[in-house]
Amino acid sequence: MVGPADMSGPMTPRIFRVASKRRETADTVTLAFDPLEGPQIELRPGQFDMLYAFGIGEVPISMSGMSEGSVLHTVRAVGAVTRAIYDAGEGDVFGMRGPYGNGWGLEDHPGADVLIVAGGIGLAPLRPAIEHVLAHRELHGKLSVLIGARSPELLIFQDDIARWQARLDAQVRVTIDVAPSEWRGAVGLVTELIPRVSFDPGRTVALVCGPEIMMRAVATDLMDLGVASDQIRISMERNMKCAIGHCGHCQFGPEFVCKDGPIFPYERVESLMRVREV
Amino acid sequence: MHRSFGRKEKKLPEAVIDLEGLQALLDSLTIRGYTVLGPTVRDGAIVYDEIAGVNDLPAGWTDEQDAATYRLTRRDDSALFGYAVGPHSWKKYLFPPQTLLWKARRSSGAFEVEEAAPQGGPYAFLGVRGCELAAIHIQDRVFLGEHPDPTYADRRSNAFIIAVNCSTPAGTCFCVSMGTGPRAGPGFDLSLTEILEGDRHAFTVDVGSERGEELLSALPHMPATTEDERSAEAVIERAAGAMGRSMDTDGIKELLYGNREHPRWDDVAQRCLSCTNCTLVCPTCFCSTVEDTTDLTGDNAERWRSWDSCFTLDFSELGGNNVRTTTRGRYRQWMTHKLASWIDQFDTSGCVGCGRCITWCPVGIDITEEVAAIRETQEGSRHGDT
Ligand SMILES: Cc1cc2nc3c(=O)[nH]c(=O)nc-3n(C[C@H](O)[C@H](O)[C@H](O)COP(=O)(O)OP(=O)(O)OC[C@H]3O[C@@H](n4cnc5c(N)ncnc54)[C@H](O)[C@@H]3O)c2cc1C
Ligand code: SF4
Ligand code: SF4
């Protein structure tokens, strides 16, 4: 009894095939997925899918782009499921259900300067937002993209970054925590890049994704510069078993990260971020 | 904001049935295809299980409950419902401890997923208390929202609910504080109040739905008299006055949100064993985990969902670490969720005042006492300040 998509239970995945694979770093790949049957999953930037590796488990993974009709997911191998996805080859199949979550909501800020700050794999869910702004340049103000990584070989989307850096209508800066001697770019934390780009704090929307401690540091610096806390959006991560607000695992204070987030205005979560173990 | 399930229009009970009528009620549910579930004595506790008839009910038993204490004792009458709630709740039927969600089979380079059709039921629940009916309504909000859970939705919509108004609250009960009892409703099909007067043993019957009405009309019953009504009201009134515990819920959301760093969390963490009992016995706790398995061939996979608890370390696993490593963090999460964030999430408290978590906590941690302690000693306390 394999029912059509709209009749099936909310925890039932559909089958997707890996159309292509690109290696990003030693532990990270980008896979393009197509459904075996039925429609493609349509995700807004910032939304995510639940990816199921046969018999192993299911994990939330953000959409990192669209390519020729395929959904892109960029996955860092850290455990059993992400390792299985990392090991996949073209033609392999996975279960997938989505879209989940709310998205970055850039459309709520027409004309605003857009400041994007990414740490590590946090660039994955921001990539489609960057591409969106670049594709609709006239709808937005200044675009700044600040990217931090622990070392040059951990930098994902290097081709994309080079392409973004070549644009005259975007300020794209990369920094490395600890750089080898041949690194010619900036060295230091991603927060140190903030003063190096120009944006109007009063009319800027900031999209931030990375480790919680980094997002807190970025938000604090931006607020000091005069960016309002409701104009700063951060993408939260919590354990998730269902993505539909049933399993309870992703609670962050009153929020269910899966359905109320994963993107939150900083204003809404600021007090929670200051308490340990929420 | 805090919805009250306990109040409803006071109206005349529609009918009165005797013990034979009660047996006839159970028989006609069985004939209609229901599996009849109700309270019965097992291993020293009153639990919910399949019952064949009135004889399976805990006649003449009552339960003495206090923090970390549960004991069955004899009553001096033959009441069938003369006790409060035990370790089980109806959640085990509507949201089973383990559910197969789907199976998958590898075939020619791909795999197929076959959804598990909802199984079990239809169920008739006999003896649903006010707090328990409220708990079912609370879980409805979790499982019947934007993404209805197939098993819950199927079992819930088919369940026939016979409430029984409480006559004998336990020492750990505080439904009056939570506005969920002792009068049950709304939301039942039929609601009974047990009347024991001298040699008389009867039940007044309130009708709450069309199918309840239809069932009642097929039973031997008498119209309820004004005296019957008075007797039933007296039972409920007595119960309301016999709560073993109470909780001041005034501004409770702000109280708990505003006291995330209160020293009382350290204090309770010294006592709490993180054993998960409170979450398992709680009729509203809904957290679950999933397990993906394969058989030995590796070609057949299954996904199972089972009850989980925010008191486990794994619950908050994140990136190889855990968000809540301390018992302090976990107890605070549980209680703050129950009494505060639940209100933001589902527009109702997550606590119905059934007292189970107090009774079944091995070290007797008492949610009403924890709230009171925080209230008394919070910064700028209403009660502490002048
Ligand atoms: C909304 C959302 C979106 C996400 N988007 C993405 C995405 O686009 N790309 C992506 O790669 N991930 C993303 N994640 C994170 C991803 O879901 C987790 O990495 C994944 O669930 C891990 O599952 P696993 O079974 O592979 O590892 P688990 O079995 O959960 O972990 C196994 C072991 O791996 C190790 N481990 C796990 N995480 C880490 C870590 N961060 N660092 C070091 N060691 C670790 C630990 O030893 C751990 O015990 C997202 C998470 C959320 C909530
Ligand atoms: S928190 Fe305790 S008293 Fe409240 S509903 Fe749950 S088990 Fe009952
Ligand atoms: S409060 Fe009591 S029942 Fe709950 S986890 Fe702690 S020790 Fe166990």
Side-chain angles (χ1 to χ4, degrees):
Chain A
M1 226 195 349
V2 184
D6 54 356
M7 269 181 58
S8 55
M11 295 283 281
T12 307
R14 290 196 290 136
I15 316 300
F16 283 69
R17 195 179 290 284
V18 176
S20 65
K21 177 174 182 175
R22 182 173 87 178
R23 174 176 292 274
E24 300 290 350
T25 70
D27 64 4
T28 305
V29 293
T30 297
L31 301 177
F33 291 92
D34 289 330
L36 281 196
E37 283 173 13
Q40 182 59 278
I41 299 178
E42 310 242 346
L43 300 104
R44 293 191 300 272
Q47 288 187 304
F48 66 96
D49 284 318
M50 293 298 280
L51 251 78
Y52 166 71
F54 189 88
I56 302 175
E58 193 182 44
V59 292
I61 301 290
S62 305
M63 186 263 282
S64 67
M66 292 293 300
S67 173
E68 294 162 21
S70 304
V71 171
L72 303 184
H73 285 299
T74 300
V75 180
R76 179 158 163 248
V78 295
V81 181
T82 46
R83 170 67 56 185
I85 300 170
Y86 173 88
D87 287 337
E90 263 179 48
D92 285 356
V93 290
F94 288 87
M96 208 148 107
R97 52 191 182 95
Y100 297 115
N102 54 359
W104 290 109
L106 263 184
E107 56 280 3
D108 302 339
H109 301 273
D113 289 356
V114 179
L115 173 63
I116 287 177
V117 189
I121 187 81
L123 184 56
L126 284 165
R127 183 177 175 273
I130 297 167
E131 297 290 7
H132 180 89
V133 175
L134 288 173
H136 302 89
R137 206 59 205 84
E138 71 289 354
L139 297 179
H140 305 278
K142 288 178 187 150
L143 171 66
S144 311
V145 180
L146 312 181
I147 298 165
R150 271 182 291 139
S151 64
E153 64 281 4
L154 291 180
L155 209 49
I156 60 172
F157 306 145
Q158 297 198 13
D159 296 348
D160 298 310
I161 294 171
R163 178 164 49 83
W164 301 336
Q165 283 178 324
R167 296 270 299 228
L168 297 176
D169 53 0
Q171 316 169 71
V172 181
R173 304 273 186 280
V174 178
T175 183
I176 295 299
D177 290 0
V178 185
S181 49
E182 64 274 16
W183 174 254
R184 284 175 294 129
V187 178
L189 299 176
V190 74
T191 41
E192 292 164 27
L193 294 178
I194 295 172
R196 305 222 209 140
V197 289
S198 92
F199 55 91
D200 176 355
R203 53 186 293 270
T204 291
V205 56
L207 314 182
V208 188
C209 187
E212 266 177 56
I213 186 164
M214 165 269 192
M215 296 196 288
R216 217 167 50 207
V218 169
T220 305
D221 284 9
L222 291 179
M223 290 188 301
D224 285 348
L225 288 173
V227 181
S229 62
D230 62 345
Q231 299 291 96
I232 302 168
R233 306 263 160 109
I234 66 168
S235 184
M236 287 298 299
E237 188 180 337
R238 279 292 179 273
N239 190 304
M240 277 180 200
K241 301 292 184 197
C242 76
I244 53 175
H246 290 185
C247 81
H249 281 252
C250 72
Q251 286 176 82
F252 179 51
E255 318 288 355
F256 286 94
V257 171
C258 71
K259 61 185 174 100
D260 303 323
I263 320 284
F264 294 97
Y266 194 67
E267 181 190 39
R268 199 159 128 190
V269 292
E270 188 181 355
S271 63
L272 293 174
M273 304 257 314
R274 281 201 297 259
V275 184
R276 291 169 56 105
E277 305 208 350
V278 172
Chain B
M1 196 165 309
H2 174 189
R3 241 181 54 143
S4 163
F5 297 99
R7 251 160 274 134
K8 69 165 194 186
E9 305 257 310
K10 204 177 109 190
K11 63 175 173 126
L12 206 69
E14 269 126 290
V16 175
I17 57 173
D18 58 13
L19 287 175
E20 274 169 42
L22 184 60
Q23 182 62 52
L25 168 62
L26 303 186
D27 290 342
S28 46
L29 285 164
T30 306
I31 289 164
R32 283 166 167 79
Y34 288 99
T35 301
V36 180
L37 304 163
T40 195
V41 175
R42 172 134 340 127
D43 300 330
I46 293 168
V47 299
Y48 297 146
D49 206 341
E50 205 167 325
I51 54 167
V54 169
N55 286 340
D56 288 340
L57 296 171
W61 287 106
T62 194
D63 48 6
E64 283 174 12
Q65 300 193 40
D66 204 340
T69 304
Y70 181 95
R71 197 167 37 234
L72 289 189
T73 56
R74 299 302 306 193
R75 293 172 62 95
D76 54 13
D77 60 21
S78 56
L80 299 178
F81 299 98
Y83 41 83
V85 293
H88 290 188
S89 74
W90 305 102
K91 140 174 132 171
K92 73 171 181 162
Y93 297 110
L94 295 174
F95 169 46
Q98 292 193 309
T99 311
L100 175 66
L101 297 179
W102 46 258
K103 297 180 179 202
R105 199 177 50 248
R106 265 194 222 282
S107 63
S108 56
F111 62 89
E112 279 174 13
V113 181
E114 184 187 329
E115 208 162 299
Q119 290 181 341
Y123 294 126
F125 299 157
L126 171 66
V128 178
R129 307 301 191 164
C131 61
E132 300 189 290
L133 192 50
I136 292 171
H137 284 282
I138 289 174
Q139 287 212 327
D140 285 352
R141 290 169 185 232
V142 179
F143 291 121
L144 300 178
E146 192 190 343
H147 303 281
D149 176 69
T151 294
Y152 187 93
D154 182 70
R155 293 180 171 203
R156 175 73 172 101
S157 63
N158 292 319
F160 192 99
I161 293 181
I162 306 162
V164 173
N165 290 318
C166 257
S167 64
T168 319
T172 47
C173 287
F174 56 104
C175 64
V176 167
S177 302
M178 306 315 287
T180 64
R183 186 196 303 277
F188 51 75
D189 293 295
L190 294 173
S191 173
L192 313 179
T193 308
E194 185 169 31
I195 295 176
L196 287 144
E197 287 168 344
D199 286 343
R200 186 167 181 235
H201 195 171
F203 300 87
T204 60
V205 186
D206 273 308
V207 171
S209 72
E210 266 174 41
R211 50 183 186 177
E213 175 137 46
E214 185 261 328
L215 198 75
L216 177 65
S217 65
L219 303 177
H221 67 274
M222 305 268 290
T225 64
T226 328
E227 288 89 278
D228 294 331
E229 188 209 0
R230 230 177 275 137
S231 303
E233 283 307 312
V235 166
I236 297 167
E237 228 165 88
R238 256 197 323 270
M243 292 289 117
R245 297 274 198 285
S246 68
M247 185 190 284
D248 177 1
T249 60
D250 189 26
I252 195 156
K253 187 175 95 172
E254 293 71 20
L255 177 76
L256 294 180
Y257 282 177
N259 283 284
R260 285 198 168 91
E261 308 288 10
H262 195 284
R264 185 71 184 189
W265 303 120
D266 298 305
D267 181 277
V268 71
Q270 295 295 311
R271 291 171 279 139
C272 174
L273 311 172
S274 270
C275 72
T276 77
N277 267 16
C278 49
T279 54
L280 299 178
V281 294
C282 178
T284 69
C285 273
F286 59 82
C287 290
S288 63
T289 187
V290 294
E291 201 188 350
D292 289 296
T293 59
T294 49
D295 66 1
L296 286 175
T297 68
D299 288 337
N300 295 289
E302 294 181 346
R303 170 168 299 169
W304 286 83
R305 178 183 68 191
S306 39
W307 289 359
D308 202 356
S309 171
C310 56
F311 280 93
T312 70
L313 180 63
D314 280 358
F315 188 87
S316 63
E317 197 278 333
L318 184 66
N321 295 305
N322 300 85
V323 175
R324 289 176 213 107
T325 55
T326 66
T327 298
R328 174 186 186 271
R330 287 180 237 161
Y331 188 88
R332 182 183 63 186
Q333 166 62 23
W334 179 70
M335 198 172 105
T336 307
H337 183 215
K338 234 1 60 161
L339 298 171
S341 13
W342 214 296
I343 297 171
D344 278 332
Q345 294 169 348
F346 300 108
D347 204 16
T348 171
S349 173
C351 175
V352 297
C354 73
R356 285 182 179 90
C357 57
I358 308 171
T359 299
W360 298 99
C361 174
V363 294
I365 292 171
D366 178 344
I367 190 170
T368 65
E369 202 179 300
E370 295 311 314
V371 171
I374 290 176
R375 198 182 280 286
E376 274 160 28
T377 51
Q378 63 167 322
E379 306 239 326
S381 152
R382 273 183 304 123
H383 304 289
D385 274 4
T386 39

